Amino acid sequence: METIQFDASPVEGQQAIVVSFDLCGFSEFCNHPDAYQVLPRFLSELFSEVDRALMGEVDNLILGPAPEMGRVPPPEFMKYTGDGAILIWFLPKSPDERQPFCTAIVGGMRQLQKHLATKISQWAIDWGVPALPARAKFGIACGLVYGLMPKGWPVLFSTPVDYVGYCINLAVR
């Protein structure tokens, strides 16, 4: 088995807003004997829908590729975690821009939450699977995040493979 080793060099923290989302009732859904017949399709459709929303391809959501007034740009980092995800946006340097940016993300996540509930409920009807977990909970926190780099990673690939920080833990809780 391959081991994971991170570079031990100190890293500077970056101010970020972190969003965690997780489906409510997913574990219970997995306990149904027929769940595994639809599970791969369900997760594929769920994460495709999240990706589409974050790229601004879903009508009536304020998420999108351009950080226009009131729009949320795609996150700088995104990691799927089973039935949920961690999303990280780095905060603007200007304090005057931070509040509108954070407000737009909170509003966008509320809209995404409603959108997913509607979409999943429709899938349950279309697929004949009434037990699909249709409610997603979102946690949001601001603070410092620290990038983790693999040991020996070439400088050319200076993008962290993961992030840690108190605000990530707070958003997940």
Side-chain angles (χ1 to χ4, degrees):
M1 180 162 98
E2 193 172 319
T3 61
I4 299 172
Q5 295 181 337
F6 291 109
D7 188 329
S9 302
V11 293
E12 192 172 316
Q14 293 180 269
Q15 287 290 333
I17 184 166
V18 178
V19 173
S20 166
F21 90 84
D22 187 63
L23 289 175
C24 298
F26 186 77
S27 296
E28 183 180 327
F29 169 68
C30 288
N31 286 331
H32 290 254
D34 58 343
Y36 294 92
Q37 295 172 358
V38 72
L39 194 56
R41 180 179 182 190
F42 175 58
L43 291 175
S44 175
E45 293 289 335
L46 173 71
F47 294 137
S48 290
E49 198 62 30
V50 170
D51 286 341
R52 287 180 62 244
L54 291 171
M55 294 310 298
E57 297 171 8
V58 175
D59 291 338
N60 302 321
L61 293 184
I62 62 169
L63 303 166
E68 301 157 10
M69 187 58 153
R71 293 190 72 79
V72 178
E76 275 95 353
F77 179 80
M78 185 168 176
K79 175 173 75 171
Y80 288 114
T81 57
D83 65 317
I86 303 288
L87 304 100
I88 299 176
W89 288 265
F90 300 121
L91 293 177
K93 299 283 186 223
S94 165
D96 293 341
E97 295 175 23
R98 285 185 179 182
Q99 187 61 46
F101 186 80
C102 291
T103 300
I105 290 174
V106 170
M109 294 304 107
R110 285 184 178 152
Q111 287 185 329
L112 180 58
Q113 186 177 38
K114 291 175 187 174
H115 174 74
L116 289 176
T118 301
K119 201 74 171 167
I120 294 169
S121 295
Q122 187 60 52
W123 295 337
I125 292 167
D126 294 347
W127 302 347
V129 183
L132 284 178
R135 193 169 78 83
K137 59 183 176 182
F138 285 73
I140 302 175
C142 283
L144 290 172
V145 297
Y146 302 88
L148 297 176
M149 300 293 290
K151 188 175 184 177
W153 199 261
V155 175
L156 178 65
F157 302 106
S158 62
T159 303
V161 294
D162 208 349
Y163 286 86
V164 295
Y166 175 75
C167 66
I168 295 172
N169 294 358
L170 187 59
V172 170
R173 290 186 178 98

